[in-house]
Amino acid sequence: MLIEFIYTSYASEPFLSEQLTALQKQCQDHNNPNQITGMLLYDNQQFMQVLEGEQAVIEALFKKIKSDPRHQQVKALIHTPITERNFANWSMGLVDISDSPDRPECIEFPLTHPSSLSQRLLIAFSHHFEDAI
Ligand SMILES: Cc1cc2nc3c(=O)[nH]c(=O)nc-3n(C[C@H](O)[C@H](O)[C@H](O)COP(=O)(O)O)c2cc1C
């Protein structure tokens, strides 16, 4: 069963852009062969990640992610079946919105289904949860 899994967390230490790029590469190298897609949003030490894939694969990955010392306070928000992927073309897209002057207008999410829950959550995140979902 295809699922969408969304969580938030806080980086243990602020990530430099090179560290974010290295993390993205690590994600892509593992996600690509395992049919995992999604995106990782980073905003001044806060993460939000959308993971899409087979339930067992995503649950196994989330166990590893949860125990990764690079972040903490890992909080699962959404775990739900989906019929189609929202990030079909991203083995892990990375969007760094730290210090973006015009959030969220400056962000273009590559979503296949623009009114999806993922998009609403991502926009809410980019507003620092000012907008309730
Ligand atoms: C914010 C964050 C997001 C991550 N996302 C993924 C991911 O999408 N895919 C992945 O394989 N690893 C991801 N990781 C890395 C995993 O936590 C872990 O380091 C990786 O799966 C390798 O684990 P292993 O050495 O036990 O195989 C992420 C780590 C962090 C801190």
Side-chain angles (χ1 to χ4, degrees):
M1 182 178 58
L2 191 63
I3 65 157
E4 172 181 63
F5 191 100
I6 304 179
Y7 73 86
T8 53
S9 67
Y10 289 86
S12 308
E13 299 286 337
F15 274 63
L16 302 172
S17 64
E18 306 88 80
Q19 292 171 307
L20 280 176
T21 308
L23 174 60
Q24 183 185 24
K25 188 183 180 311
Q26 182 192 16
C27 294
Q28 290 174 338
D29 288 349
H30 173 261
N31 294 358
N32 208 17
N34 290 288
Q35 281 94 48
I36 299 167
T37 51
M39 74 169 290
L40 180 62
L41 197 56
Y42 182 75
D43 181 10
N44 293 309
Q45 225 167 320
Q46 295 184 53
F47 285 112
M48 183 172 139
Q49 189 172 26
V50 180
L51 296 164
E52 301 171 334
E54 277 302 310
Q55 181 170 16
V57 173
I58 296 299
E59 287 174 357
L61 173 60
F62 185 60
K63 274 196 188 139
K64 286 206 267 184
I65 290 178
K66 225 175 152 177
S67 58
D68 193 315
R70 289 175 286 183
H71 64 172
Q72 44 198 277
Q73 296 177 57
V74 180
K75 190 174 166 194
L77 300 180
I78 306 286
H79 178 296
T80 190
I82 48 172
T83 50
E84 283 177 273
R85 292 171 190 261
N86 280 307
F87 300 97
N89 303 322
W90 277 20
S91 58
M92 192 45 63
L94 171 69
V95 179
D96 180 3
I97 55 168
S98 308
D99 308 318
S100 297
D102 308 310
R103 69 183 75 196
E105 293 73 18
C106 56
I107 309 162
E108 284 181 30
F109 298 118
L111 283 161
T112 333
H113 306 291
S115 63
S116 68
L117 176 61
S118 314
Q119 187 186 45
R120 300 207 310 274
L121 269 170
L122 292 166
I123 288 172
F125 180 88
S126 68
H127 277 296
H128 290 270
F129 299 109
E130 280 162 25
D131 291 350
I133 48 159

